[in-house]
Amino acid sequence: MKKKPAITLLRGNTPKLKVVGENSTCWGCSEKTIKNDKVFEIPGSTCRNSNGAYYKASSKTYCLKCMKNNITKTERQLIE
């Protein structure tokens, strides 16, 4: 069985360029981002709990360097 690609863009979970409003960290490299830095936000997928109710998983933010690495890694995995 093949591995999942690094970024799964299912159900319209497309990354959006966002300007950081407060200090946060990159989900990929744990590097701190400061106010007015540009990051990519990937919305969480829609999940279902044991009661059958749907909920949205939390979104993940990536710095520009990590996002570029994720895209090239995904392209490589899809070609293989």
Side-chain angles (χ1 to χ4, degrees), residues 19-52:
V19 176
V20 176
E22 59 185 42
N23 296 347
S24 63
T25 58
C26 173
W27 199 84
C29 65
S30 301
E31 188 174 311
K32 291 188 178 186
T33 56
I34 57 173
K35 190 173 184 178
N36 295 329
D37 277 351
K38 291 184 180 180
V39 295
F40 278 96
E41 183 178 56
I42 299 177
S45 59
T46 304
C47 303
R48 196 169 166 180
N49 63 13
S50 60
N51 296 336

Side-chain angles (χ1 to χ4, degrees), residues 32-80:
K32 291 188 178 186
T33 56
I34 57 173
K35 190 173 184 178
N36 295 329
D37 277 351
K38 291 184 180 180
V39 295
F40 278 96
E41 183 178 56
I42 299 177
S45 59
T46 304
C47 303
R48 196 169 166 180
N49 63 13
S50 60
N51 296 336
Y54 290 97
Y55 67 96
K56 194 82 167 166
S58 61
S59 59
K60 298 175 184 173
T61 56
Y62 290 94
C63 64
L64 299 178
K65 185 177 83 173
C66 286
M67 192 63 181
K68 184 184 264 188
N69 290 341
N70 284 341
I71 290 170
T72 56
K73 184 178 177 182
T74 302
E75 286 176 346
R76 237 182 306 126
Q77 288 176 350
L78 290 174
I79 291 172
E80 292 175 357

